[in-house]
Structure formats: structure tokens, C-alpha cells
Amino acid sequence: MGDLKKWVNEKWVDIGAPKKDGKYQTCGRKSSTGSKRKYPKCVPLAKATRMTKGEKASAVKRKRAAGNPGGKPTNVATFTKRKKMSMGGIV
């Protein structure tokens, strides 16, 4: 139960909408129709600060590509899993 409480109390930020000073906007938006903000990709602030620029861009791109069908939030993994290289042809 302690982990859930910690998860809820974390500061969640939108990595798809950084501010000019390098900080992040809080997660979410008022409504999809009345807001100029694009579909948010939210992560805890601690994770956002550890991510590279490329990792953030990749996560936001995949989140927005998934869309939002049916009005429910779409979950997309923050980090992609790397494919294992095979040793094909070497005996």
C-alpha cells in the first residue's frame, strides 16, 4: 500500500509541453476541444529529469501517434524495449 501512496503523491508533468525555462507544465489539460495543448504524455518529474531529449521526443511521438479513440486515455510505454540482435548465419 505504501508504493501506491508514493505513486499518487509524485509530481506528474507533461514532457510534451516543456516551458522555455526548461521546466515542465503540470500534467493534463482542461478539455480536448477547448485546449490548444496537444495530447499530453505524463511522467513523474523525477523520471522526466533523468530522460534524454531523444527519449522524451520518442515517448511523446508514440503517445500522440496512438491517438485517443473512444475518449479514454491511451497508455503508451515511456521507454521502448530494445530488440535483441540475433547471430543468424554464424555457426
Side-chain angles (χ1 to χ4, degrees):
M1 185 77 169
D3 291 336
L4 178 61
K5 192 171 188 178
K6 180 182 172 188
W7 181 83
V8 170
N9 290 330
E10 287 180 316
K11 182 177 180 181
W12 288 79
V13 295
D14 181 5
I15 60 173
K19 293 182 180 180
K20 291 180 181 179
D21 61 359
K23 295 182 181 179
Y24 299 98
Q25 296 183 23
T26 56
C27 187
R29 58 183 177 177
K30 292 180 183 176
S31 71
S32 61
T33 55
S35 179
K36 292 181 182 179
R37 292 177 68 181
K38 295 182 179 179
Y39 199 44
K41 172 61 177 161
C42 301
V43 296
L45 180 61
K47 183 180 279 189
T49 56
R50 288 192 315 259
M51 293 173 73
T52 65
K53 188 175 180 179
E55 289 172 336
K56 291 175 198 171
S58 173
V60 171
K61 183 179 177 182
R62 285 182 286 109
K63 173 78 172 196
R64 291 188 180 152
N68 191 14
K72 293 185 178 180
T74 304
N75 291 330
V76 176
T78 302
F79 300 104
T80 58
K81 293 186 178 183
R82 294 185 179 200
K83 295 180 182 178
K84 292 186 177 182
M85 301 284 287
S86 66
M87 301 283 285
I90 299 175
V91 178

